[in-house]
Amino acid sequence: DIQMTQSPSSLSASVGDRVTITCQASQDITNYLNWFQQKPGKAPKLLISDASNLETGVPSRFSGSGSGTDFTFTISSLQPEDIATYYCQQYDNLPPYTFGQGTKLEI
Amino acid sequence: QVQLVESGGGVVQPGRSLRLSCAASGFTFSSYGMHWVRQAPGKGLEWVAVIWYDGSNKYYADSVKGRFTISRDNAKNSLYLQMNSLRPEDTALYYCVRDPGGVGYFDFWGQGTRVTVSS
């Protein structure tokens, strides 16, 4: 099974800061990587697919990059409504589809 | 608008069974793969099972293989998860998740139904 190592596990930042989260796959997953946002008490929401494709309606301050085994998720200017836990998830080939451990973002 | 509404959760003793349901609306259910993903209290996300759009293929996480069965009824726009031989570690919020290709692309999630396995 492919393991996803996400870091950091938690992060404290200020409004306006640039925030970066990394995710490393245990083997090459090409660009089959999603990023999700989960606000407290809510279901996860897909923000970025295929490592860098911003979903419709998602603010442009969110971005993703990377390929192979190393991936990055960035919020260019942190807003108060971005407080959430963020997860990466790989979907290379057949199941299981594995998630990173999550990054809890606080202000 | 797209809606996925889970039901069937509750408190159950170890070793017993439970059947979860997910009612889909606002899209062509029979064209989408569907998953169950769970989240234990205070923990991260764990993929549980997938069924292809036509029910022809099903895959399971090792942690539930042989105990859980995913199924669907496209005529009723419904997804199911039959959970047998439940264990305390199955305690979680279970999400029904839509996937356009049945390949792990989780583009829409329900709000979840809570399952607690406890004596």
Side-chain angles (χ1 to χ4, degrees):
Chain A
D1 297 353
I2 299 173
Q3 309 301 319
M4 304 301 294
T5 303
Q6 186 176 339
S7 63
S9 57
S10 64
L11 177 58
S12 182
S14 301
V15 172
D17 281 355
R18 183 181 183 87
V19 170
T20 299
I21 299 169
T22 64
C23 194
Q24 185 171 60
S26 60
Q27 64 189 66
D28 190 338
I29 58 170
T30 318
N31 67 332
Y32 296 118
L33 185 95
N34 290 327
W35 289 98
F36 295 90
Q37 176 191 65
Q38 186 178 31
K39 295 186 176 181
K42 299 294 186 182
K45 175 187 175 183
L46 179 63
L47 298 182
I48 292 171
S49 61
D50 294 338
S52 60
N53 181 48
L54 199 66
E55 293 294 298
T56 302
V58 175
S60 59
R61 64 180 180 274
F62 296 100
S63 65
S65 64
S67 66
T69 61
D70 295 303
F71 301 87
T72 301
F73 172 82
T74 300
I75 306 173
S76 60
S77 178
L78 186 66
Q79 300 302 303
E81 61 266 31
D82 300 336
I83 296 309
T85 299
Y86 293 85
Y87 294 92
C88 62
Q89 174 248 331
Q90 67 80 20
Y91 54 106
D92 179 63
N93 209 344
L94 290 174
Y97 304 115
T98 45
F99 292 87
Q101 302 94 321
T103 296
K104 186 174 183 180
L105 180 55
E106 299 170 321
I107 290 184
Chain B
Q1 72 281 21
V2 175
Q3 279 197 308
L4 295 170
V5 180
E6 302 92 336
S7 61
V11 180
V12 61
Q13 293 180 328
R16 304 298 291 265
S17 299
L18 208 58
R19 189 195 196 208
L20 305 184
S21 299
C22 172
S25 60
F27 65 101
T28 305
F29 180 72
S30 59
S31 296
Y32 286 79
M34 296 296 297
H35 301 257
W36 289 98
V37 176
R38 68 185 181 183
Q39 187 169 35
K43 302 297 184 182
L45 301 165
E46 179 188 17
W47 173 80
V48 173
V50 59
I51 184 168
W52 285 19
Y53 70 101
D54 58 356
S56 60
N57 281 288
K58 306 173 186 180
Y59 297 94
Y60 299 91
D62 286 346
S63 58
V64 307
K65 200 172 296 182
R67 300 187 299 122
F68 289 12
T69 301
I70 190 171
S71 62
R72 66 190 297 158
D73 186 336
N74 285 345
K76 294 183 177 180
N77 290 337
S78 293
L79 175 73
Y80 307 101
L81 185 67
Q82 178 67 43
M83 304 187 296
N84 298 332
S85 302
L86 281 161
R87 305 167 179 169
E89 55 264 36
D90 295 320
T91 294
L93 186 63
Y94 284 74
Y95 292 104
C96 167
V97 187
R98 188 182 78 166
D99 181 348
V103 294
Y105 183 91
F106 305 143
D107 77 337
F108 191 84
W109 300 56
Q111 289 304 304
T113 186
R114 189 164 299 280
V115 173
T116 302
V117 183
S118 173
S119 54

mmCIF file of all heavy atoms in Angstrom, chain B residues 44-83:
data_model
loop_
_atom_site.group_PDB
_atom_site.id
_atom_site.type_symbol
_atom_site.label_atom_id
_atom_site.label_comp_id
_atom_site.label_asym_id
_atom_site.label_seq_id
_atom_site.Cartn_x
_atom_site.Cartn_y
_atom_site.Cartn_z
ATOM 1 N N GLY B 44 -7.926 11.033 11.731
ATOM 2 C CA GLY B 44 -7.933 11.370 10.317
ATOM 3 C C GLY B 44 -8.912 10.532 9.513
ATOM 4 O O GLY B 44 -9.733 9.799 10.059
ATOM 5 N N LEU B 45 -8.797 10.655 8.207
ATOM 6 C CA LEU B 45 -9.708 9.994 7.276
ATOM 7 C C LEU B 45 -9.164 8.640 6.845
ATOM 8 O O LEU B 45 -7.966 8.488 6.583
ATOM 9 C CB LEU B 45 -9.909 10.891 6.049
ATOM 10 C CG LEU B 45 -10.481 12.271 6.357
ATOM 11 C CD1 LEU B 45 -10.295 13.198 5.167
ATOM 12 C CD2 LEU B 45 -11.947 12.168 6.734
ATOM 13 N N GLU B 46 -10.068 7.660 6.756
ATOM 14 C CA GLU B 46 -9.693 6.316 6.329
ATOM 15 C C GLU B 46 -10.671 5.842 5.262
ATOM 16 O O GLU B 46 -11.882 5.735 5.524
ATOM 17 C CB GLU B 46 -9.690 5.345 7.505
ATOM 18 C CG GLU B 46 -9.323 3.923 7.098
ATOM 19 C CD GLU B 46 -9.494 2.901 8.213
ATOM 20 O OE1 GLU B 46 -10.192 3.185 9.202
ATOM 21 O OE2 GLU B 46 -8.932 1.791 8.093
ATOM 22 N N TRP B 47 -10.153 5.544 4.087
ATOM 23 C CA TRP B 47 -10.991 4.969 3.042
ATOM 24 C C TRP B 47 -11.430 3.557 3.447
ATOM 25 O O TRP B 47 -10.629 2.779 3.976
ATOM 26 C CB TRP B 47 -10.219 4.930 1.730
ATOM 27 C CG TRP B 47 -10.924 4.206 0.649
ATOM 28 C CD1 TRP B 47 -11.936 4.674 -0.145
ATOM 29 C CD2 TRP B 47 -10.706 2.857 0.240
ATOM 30 N NE1 TRP B 47 -12.342 3.692 -1.015
ATOM 31 C CE2 TRP B 47 -11.605 2.564 -0.796
ATOM 32 C CE3 TRP B 47 -9.824 1.862 0.658
ATOM 33 C CZ2 TRP B 47 -11.652 1.351 -1.429
ATOM 34 C CZ3 TRP B 47 -9.863 0.623 0.041
ATOM 35 C CH2 TRP B 47 -10.778 0.380 -1.003
ATOM 36 N N VAL B 48 -12.711 3.225 3.187
ATOM 37 C CA VAL B 48 -13.269 1.942 3.615
ATOM 38 C C VAL B 48 -13.569 1.018 2.431
ATOM 39 O O VAL B 48 -13.165 -0.141 2.426
ATOM 40 C CB VAL B 48 -14.560 2.162 4.428
ATOM 41 C CG1 VAL B 48 -15.248 0.832 4.737
ATOM 42 C CG2 VAL B 48 -14.254 2.926 5.716
ATOM 43 N N ALA B 49 -14.309 1.527 1.441
ATOM 44 C CA ALA B 49 -14.738 0.655 0.345
ATOM 45 C C ALA B 49 -15.185 1.501 -0.845
ATOM 46 O O ALA B 49 -15.559 2.662 -0.690
ATOM 47 C CB ALA B 49 -15.876 -0.258 0.786
ATOM 48 N N VAL B 50 -15.138 0.895 -2.025
ATOM 49 C CA VAL B 50 -15.607 1.529 -3.260
ATOM 50 C C VAL B 50 -16.433 0.528 -4.050
ATOM 51 O O VAL B 50 -16.171 -0.683 -4.013
ATOM 52 C CB VAL B 50 -14.441 2.060 -4.109
ATOM 53 C CG1 VAL B 50 -13.481 0.951 -4.493
ATOM 54 C CG2 VAL B 50 -14.943 2.796 -5.352
ATOM 55 N N ILE B 51 -17.413 1.037 -4.766
ATOM 56 C CA ILE B 51 -18.179 0.240 -5.723
ATOM 57 C C ILE B 51 -18.275 1.037 -7.008
ATOM 58 O O ILE B 51 -18.536 2.240 -6.989
ATOM 59 C CB ILE B 51 -19.578 -0.127 -5.164
ATOM 60 C CG1 ILE B 51 -20.317 -1.046 -6.137
ATOM 61 C CG2 ILE B 51 -20.395 1.118 -4.843
ATOM 62 C CD1 ILE B 51 -21.566 -1.680 -5.522
ATOM 63 N N TRP B 52 -18.019 0.374 -8.126
ATOM 64 C CA TRP B 52 -18.074 1.064 -9.415
ATOM 65 C C TRP B 52 -19.511 1.429 -9.764
ATOM 66 O O TRP B 52 -20.456 0.902 -9.183
ATOM 67 C CB TRP B 52 -17.436 0.184 -10.485
ATOM 68 C CG TRP B 52 -15.938 0.180 -10.372
ATOM 69 C CD1 TRP B 52 -15.187 0.546 -9.285
ATOM 70 C CD2 TRP B 52 -15.011 -0.226 -11.373
ATOM 71 N NE1 TRP B 52 -13.857 0.379 -9.558
ATOM 72 C CE2 TRP B 52 -13.712 -0.085 -10.825
ATOM 73 C CE3 TRP B 52 -15.156 -0.697 -12.684
ATOM 74 C CZ2 TRP B 52 -12.571 -0.397 -11.561
ATOM 75 C CZ3 TRP B 52 -14.008 -1.008 -13.398
ATOM 76 C CH2 TRP B 52 -12.741 -0.856 -12.842
ATOM 77 N N TYR B 53 -19.658 2.277 -10.774
ATOM 78 C CA TYR B 53 -20.953 2.853 -11.130
ATOM 79 C C TYR B 53 -22.027 1.790 -11.397
ATOM 80 O O TYR B 53 -23.191 1.994 -11.064
ATOM 81 C CB TYR B 53 -20.802 3.749 -12.361
ATOM 82 C CG TYR B 53 -20.517 2.998 -13.638
ATOM 83 C CD1 TYR B 53 -21.527 2.754 -14.559
ATOM 84 C CD2 TYR B 53 -19.244 2.529 -13.929
ATOM 85 C CE1 TYR B 53 -21.280 2.061 -15.737
ATOM 86 C CE2 TYR B 53 -18.975 1.824 -15.094
ATOM 87 C CZ TYR B 53 -20.005 1.588 -15.994
ATOM 88 O OH TYR B 53 -19.751 0.885 -17.145
ATOM 89 N N ASP B 54 -21.595 0.648 -11.935
ATOM 90 C CA ASP B 54 -22.552 -0.391 -12.289
ATOM 91 C C ASP B 54 -22.512 -1.565 -11.315
ATOM 92 O O ASP B 54 -23.146 -2.602 -11.553
ATOM 93 C CB ASP B 54 -22.293 -0.898 -13.703
ATOM 94 C CG ASP B 54 -20.890 -1.458 -13.886
ATOM 95 O OD1 ASP B 54 -20.106 -1.377 -12.934
ATOM 96 O OD2 ASP B 54 -20.587 -1.951 -14.979
ATOM 97 N N GLY B 55 -21.743 -1.422 -10.243
ATOM 98 C CA GLY B 55 -21.648 -2.489 -9.262
ATOM 99 C C GLY B 55 -20.743 -3.634 -9.658
ATOM 100 O O GLY B 55 -20.652 -4.630 -8.937
ATOM 101 N N SER B 56 -20.034 -3.502 -10.774
ATOM 102 C CA SER B 56 -19.250 -4.620 -11.306
ATOM 103 C C SER B 56 -17.965 -4.879 -10.530
ATOM 104 O O SER B 56 -17.429 -5.991 -10.581
ATOM 105 C CB SER B 56 -18.913 -4.359 -12.778
ATOM 106 O OG SER B 56 -18.161 -3.174 -12.915
ATOM 107 N N ASN B 57 -17.464 -3.883 -9.860
ATOM 108 C CA ASN B 57 -16.243 -4.045 -9.071
ATOM 109 C C ASN B 57 -16.401 -3.411 -7.698
ATOM 110 O O ASN B 57 -17.009 -2.346 -7.561
ATOM 111 C CB ASN B 57 -15.046 -3.414 -9.786
ATOM 112 C CG ASN B 57 -14.507 -4.295 -10.891
ATOM 113 O OD1 ASN B 57 -13.888 -5.324 -10.654
ATOM 114 N ND2 ASN B 57 -14.761 -3.896 -12.123
ATOM 115 N N LYS B 58 -15.823 -4.090 -6.721
ATOM 116 C CA LYS B 58 -15.844 -3.608 -5.343
ATOM 117 C C LYS B 58 -14.469 -3.861 -4.743
ATOM 118 O O LYS B 58 -13.854 -4.903 -4.997
ATOM 119 C CB LYS B 58 -16.906 -4.356 -4.511
ATOM 120 C CG LYS B 58 -18.302 -4.337 -5.105
ATOM 121 C CD LYS B 58 -19.237 -5.237 -4.310
ATOM 122 C CE LYS B 58 -20.607 -5.339 -4.986
ATOM 123 N NZ LYS B 58 -21.533 -6.222 -4.218
ATOM 124 N N TYR B 59 -14.004 -2.912 -3.954
ATOM 125 C CA TYR B 59 -12.739 -3.065 -3.255
ATOM 126 C C TYR B 59 -12.921 -2.603 -1.813
ATOM 127 O O TYR B 59 -13.736 -1.723 -1.534
ATOM 128 C CB TYR B 59 -11.635 -2.235 -3.919
ATOM 129 C CG TYR B 59 -11.313 -2.659 -5.327
ATOM 130 C CD1 TYR B 59 -11.922 -2.056 -6.412
ATOM 131 C CD2 TYR B 59 -10.384 -3.671 -5.579
ATOM 132 C CE1 TYR B 59 -11.635 -2.436 -7.703
ATOM 133 C CE2 TYR B 59 -10.084 -4.057 -6.871
ATOM 134 C CZ TYR B 59 -10.719 -3.431 -7.928
ATOM 135 O OH TYR B 59 -10.427 -3.817 -9.207
ATOM 136 N N TYR B 60 -12.096 -3.207 -0.935
ATOM 137 C CA TYR B 60 -12.226 -2.918 0.494
ATOM 138 C C TYR B 60 -10.867 -2.655 1.123
ATOM 139 O O TYR B 60 -9.848 -3.206 0.696
ATOM 140 C CB TYR B 60 -12.871 -4.110 1.219
ATOM 141 C CG TYR B 60 -14.254 -4.447 0.732
ATOM 142 C CD1 TYR B 60 -14.446 -5.359 -0.301
ATOM 143 C CD2 TYR B 60 -15.368 -3.839 1.293
ATOM 144 C CE1 TYR B 60 -15.719 -5.667 -0.766
ATOM 145 C CE2 TYR B 60 -16.651 -4.145 0.841
ATOM 146 C CZ TYR B 60 -16.811 -5.054 -0.190
ATOM 147 O OH TYR B 60 -18.070 -5.350 -0.643
ATOM 148 N N ALA B 61 -10.871 -1.853 2.175
ATOM 149 C CA ALA B 61 -9.682 -1.717 3.008
ATOM 150 C C ALA B 61 -9.445 -3.045 3.733
ATOM 151 O O ALA B 61 -10.403 -3.755 4.079
ATOM 152 C CB ALA B 61 -9.869 -0.588 4.010
ATOM 153 N N ASP B 62 -8.177 -3.353 3.980
ATOM 154 C CA ASP B 62 -7.860 -4.601 4.684
ATOM 155 C C ASP B 62 -8.541 -4.673 6.043
ATOM 156 O O ASP B 62 -8.907 -5.756 6.507
ATOM 157 C CB ASP B 62 -6.344 -4.726 4.863
ATOM 158 C CG ASP B 62 -5.626 -5.081 3.566
ATOM 159 O OD1 ASP B 62 -6.301 -5.497 2.598
ATOM 160 O OD2 ASP B 62 -4.387 -4.932 3.517
ATOM 161 N N SER B 63 -8.711 -3.515 6.682
ATOM 162 C CA SER B 63 -9.275 -3.471 8.033
ATOM 163 C C SER B 63 -10.738 -3.923 8.087
ATOM 164 O O SER B 63 -11.238 -4.255 9.167
ATOM 165 C CB SER B 63 -9.142 -2.065 8.614
ATOM 166 O OG SER B 63 -9.797 -1.124 7.777
ATOM 167 N N VAL B 64 -11.433 -3.936 6.943
ATOM 168 C CA VAL B 64 -12.853 -4.316 6.935
ATOM 169 C C VAL B 64 -13.146 -5.495 6.008
ATOM 170 O O VAL B 64 -14.279 -5.989 5.983
ATOM 171 C CB VAL B 64 -13.752 -3.123 6.542
ATOM 172 C CG1 VAL B 64 -13.454 -1.915 7.424
ATOM 173 C CG2 VAL B 64 -13.606 -2.766 5.062
ATOM 174 N N LYS B 65 -12.144 -5.930 5.273
ATOM 175 C CA LYS B 65 -12.345 -7.008 4.296
ATOM 176 C C LYS B 65 -12.872 -8.256 4.986
ATOM 177 O O LYS B 65 -12.360 -8.668 6.032
ATOM 178 C CB LYS B 65 -11.027 -7.296 3.586
ATOM 179 C CG LYS B 65 -11.168 -8.005 2.260
ATOM 180 C CD LYS B 65 -9.822 -8.078 1.534
ATOM 181 C CE LYS B 65 -9.292 -6.729 1.160
ATOM 182 N NZ LYS B 65 -8.007 -6.786 0.425
ATOM 183 N N GLY B 66 -13.916 -8.850 4.415
ATOM 184 C CA GLY B 66 -14.526 -10.046 4.980
ATOM 185 C C GLY B 66 -15.602 -9.762 6.009
ATOM 186 O O GLY B 66 -16.343 -10.671 6.397
ATOM 187 N N ARG B 67 -15.699 -8.505 6.463
ATOM 188 C CA ARG B 67 -16.717 -8.143 7.458
ATOM 189 C C ARG B 67 -17.742 -7.162 6.890
ATOM 190 O O ARG B 67 -18.910 -7.195 7.276
ATOM 191 C CB ARG B 67 -16.061 -7.514 8.686
ATOM 192 C CG ARG B 67 -15.071 -8.413 9.396
ATOM 193 C CD ARG B 67 -14.587 -7.779 10.707
ATOM 194 N NE ARG B 67 -13.905 -6.506 10.500
ATOM 195 C CZ ARG B 67 -14.289 -5.356 11.060
ATOM 196 N NH1 ARG B 67 -15.336 -5.314 11.852
ATOM 197 N NH2 ARG B 67 -13.599 -4.245 10.830
ATOM 198 N N PHE B 68 -17.293 -6.269 6.011
ATOM 199 C CA PHE B 68 -18.167 -5.242 5.443
ATOM 200 C C PHE B 68 -18.460 -5.585 3.982
ATOM 201 O O PHE B 68 -17.617 -6.137 3.276
ATOM 202 C CB PHE B 68 -17.499 -3.873 5.490
ATOM 203 C CG PHE B 68 -17.370 -3.267 6.863
ATOM 204 C CD1 PHE B 68 -17.604 -3.999 8.018
ATOM 205 C CD2 PHE B 68 -16.991 -1.939 6.998
ATOM 206 C CE1 PHE B 68 -17.475 -3.425 9.273
ATOM 207 C CE2 PHE B 68 -16.861 -1.351 8.239
ATOM 208 C CZ PHE B 68 -17.098 -2.099 9.389
ATOM 209 N N THR B 69 -19.663 -5.201 3.528
ATOM 210 C CA THR B 69 -20.048 -5.385 2.137
ATOM 211 C C THR B 69 -20.690 -4.097 1.624
ATOM 212 O O THR B 69 -21.654 -3.602 2.199
ATOM 213 C CB THR B 69 -21.050 -6.533 1.975
ATOM 214 O OG1 THR B 69 -20.461 -7.754 2.468
ATOM 215 C CG2 THR B 69 -21.414 -6.720 0.507
ATOM 216 N N ILE B 70 -20.132 -3.582 0.538
ATOM 217 C CA ILE B 70 -20.693 -2.402 -0.106
ATOM 218 C C ILE B 70 -21.611 -2.851 -1.237
ATOM 219 O O ILE B 70 -21.323 -3.833 -1.938
ATOM 220 C CB ILE B 70 -19.570 -1.469 -0.628
ATOM 221 C CG1 ILE B 70 -20.134 -0.128 -1.088
ATOM 222 C CG2 ILE B 70 -18.759 -2.138 -1.736
ATOM 223 C CD1 ILE B 70 -19.041 0.914 -1.403
ATOM 224 N N SER B 71 -22.722 -2.149 -1.408
ATOM 225 C CA SER B 71 -23.655 -2.475 -2.488
ATOM 226 C C SER B 71 -24.399 -1.203 -2.899
ATOM 227 O O SER B 71 -24.299 -0.171 -2.218
ATOM 228 C CB SER B 71 -24.646 -3.556 -2.058
ATOM 229 O OG SER B 71 -25.448 -3.107 -0.978
ATOM 230 N N ARG B 72 -25.102 -1.265 -3.993
ATOM 231 C CA ARG B 72 -25.869 -0.125 -4.475
ATOM 232 C C ARG B 72 -27.118 -0.584 -5.197
ATOM 233 O O ARG B 72 -27.168 -1.711 -5.714
ATOM 234 C CB ARG B 72 -25.008 0.742 -5.394
ATOM 235 C CG ARG B 72 -24.597 0.095 -6.695
ATOM 236 C CD ARG B 72 -23.535 0.938 -7.426
ATOM 237 N NE ARG B 72 -24.050 2.245 -7.799
ATOM 238 C CZ ARG B 72 -23.265 3.304 -8.049
ATOM 239 N NH1 ARG B 72 -21.948 3.198 -7.943
ATOM 240 N NH2 ARG B 72 -23.812 4.451 -8.411
ATOM 241 N N ASP B 73 -28.102 0.289 -5.249
ATOM 242 C CA ASP B 73 -29.330 0.069 -6.021
ATOM 243 C C ASP B 73 -29.522 1.313 -6.871
ATOM 244 O O ASP B 73 -29.989 2.345 -6.377
ATOM 245 C CB ASP B 73 -30.512 -0.154 -5.079
ATOM 246 C CG ASP B 73 -31.790 -0.522 -5.822
ATOM 247 O OD1 ASP B 73 -31.916 -0.172 -7.013
ATOM 248 O OD2 ASP B 73 -32.676 -1.143 -5.216
ATOM 249 N N ASN B 74 -29.135 1.229 -8.124
ATOM 250 C CA ASN B 74 -29.208 2.399 -8.993
ATOM 251 C C ASN B 74 -30.644 2.830 -9.266
ATOM 252 O O ASN B 74 -30.906 4.010 -9.534
ATOM 253 C CB ASN B 74 -28.471 2.129 -10.297
ATOM 254 C CG ASN B 74 -26.950 2.167 -10.121
ATOM 255 O OD1 ASN B 74 -26.455 2.660 -9.106
ATOM 256 N ND2 ASN B 74 -26.237 1.640 -11.096
ATOM 257 N N ALA B 75 -31.580 1.908 -9.186
ATOM 258 C CA ALA B 75 -32.990 2.261 -9.384
ATOM 259 C C ALA B 75 -33.514 3.123 -8.239
ATOM 260 O O ALA B 75 -34.439 3.913 -8.411
ATOM 261 C CB ALA B 75 -33.824 1.003 -9.527
ATOM 262 N N LYS B 76 -32.901 2.953 -7.067
ATOM 263 C CA LYS B 76 -33.323 3.721 -5.885
ATOM 264 C C LYS B 76 -32.342 4.836 -5.532
ATOM 265 O O LYS B 76 -32.496 5.495 -4.503
ATOM 266 C CB LYS B 76 -33.475 2.774 -4.686
ATOM 267 C CG LYS B 76 -34.595 1.761 -4.845
ATOM 268 C CD LYS B 76 -34.731 0.910 -3.594
ATOM 269 C CE LYS B 76 -35.899 -0.070 -3.727
ATOM 270 N NZ LYS B 76 -36.051 -0.922 -2.517
ATOM 271 N N ASN B 77 -31.320 5.013 -6.379
ATOM 272 C CA ASN B 77 -30.303 6.043 -6.107
ATOM 273 C C ASN B 77 -29.729 5.912 -4.705
ATOM 274 O O ASN B 77 -29.591 6.902 -3.966
ATOM 275 C CB ASN B 77 -30.887 7.456 -6.291
ATOM 276 C CG ASN B 77 -31.182 7.776 -7.731
ATOM 277 O OD1 ASN B 77 -30.610 7.177 -8.647
ATOM 278 N ND2 ASN B 77 -32.092 8.701 -7.961
ATOM 279 N N SER B 78 -29.384 4.692 -4.351
ATOM 280 C CA SER B 78 -28.948 4.428 -2.983
ATOM 281 C C SER B 78 -27.687 3.577 -2.928
ATOM 282 O O SER B 78 -27.479 2.679 -3.740
ATOM 283 C CB SER B 78 -30.058 3.734 -2.193
ATOM 284 O OG SER B 78 -31.155 4.605 -2.006
ATOM 285 N N LEU B 79 -26.877 3.879 -1.925
ATOM 286 C CA LEU B 79 -25.642 3.162 -1.616
ATOM 287 C C LEU B 79 -25.789 2.572 -0.228
ATOM 288 O O LEU B 79 -26.430 3.176 0.644
ATOM 289 C CB LEU B 79 -24.457 4.129 -1.643
ATOM 290 C CG LEU B 79 -23.082 3.589 -1.236
ATOM 291 C CD1 LEU B 79 -22.539 2.677 -2.337
ATOM 292 C CD2 LEU B 79 -22.125 4.742 -0.964
ATOM 293 N N TYR B 80 -25.176 1.405 -0.022
ATOM 294 C CA TYR B 80 -25.298 0.724 1.262
ATOM 295 C C TYR B 80 -23.940 0.239 1.751
ATOM 296 O O TYR B 80 -23.020 0.027 0.969
ATOM 297 C CB TYR B 80 -26.250 -0.477 1.150
ATOM 298 C CG TYR B 80 -27.598 -0.132 0.570
ATOM 299 C CD1 TYR B 80 -27.885 -0.409 -0.767
ATOM 300 C CD2 TYR B 80 -28.569 0.480 1.346
ATOM 301 C CE1 TYR B 80 -29.118 -0.083 -1.311
ATOM 302 C CE2 TYR B 80 -29.799 0.808 0.810
ATOM 303 C CZ TYR B 80 -30.063 0.533 -0.517
ATOM 304 O OH TYR B 80 -31.291 0.858 -1.048
ATOM 305 N N LEU B 81 -23.861 0.043 3.069
ATOM 306 C CA LEU B 81 -22.697 -0.613 3.658
ATOM 307 C C LEU B 81 -23.211 -1.545 4.752
ATOM 308 O O LEU B 81 -23.714 -1.077 5.781
ATOM 309 C CB LEU B 81 -21.708 0.396 4.249
ATOM 310 C CG LEU B 81 -20.410 -0.219 4.778
ATOM 311 C CD1 LEU B 81 -19.583 -0.793 3.609
ATOM 312 C CD2 LEU B 81 -19.590 0.810 5.551
ATOM 313 N N GLN B 82 -23.115 -2.846 4.493
ATOM 314 C CA GLN B 82 -23.473 -3.843 5.487
ATOM 315 C C GLN B 82 -22.240 -4.125 6.329
ATOM 316 O O GLN B 82 -21.207 -4.551 5.799
ATOM 317 C CB GLN B 82 -23.964 -5.131 4.812
ATOM 318 C CG GLN B 82 -24.311 -6.247 5.779
ATOM 319 C CD GLN B 82 -25.516 -5.915 6.638
ATOM 320 O OE1 GLN B 82 -26.516 -5.390 6.157
ATOM 321 N NE2 GLN B 82 -25.420 -6.245 7.929
ATOM 322 N N MET B 83 -22.350 -3.879 7.613
ATOM 323 C CA MET B 83 -21.214 -4.034 8.525
ATOM 324 C C MET B 83 -21.522 -5.168 9.503
ATOM 325 O O MET B 83 -22.456 -5.044 10.317
ATOM 326 C CB MET B 83 -20.970 -2.724 9.273
ATOM 327 C CG MET B 83 -20.743 -1.542 8.340
ATOM 328 S SD MET B 83 -20.264 -0.037 9.214
ATOM 329 C CE MET B 83 -21.728 0.259 10.167
#
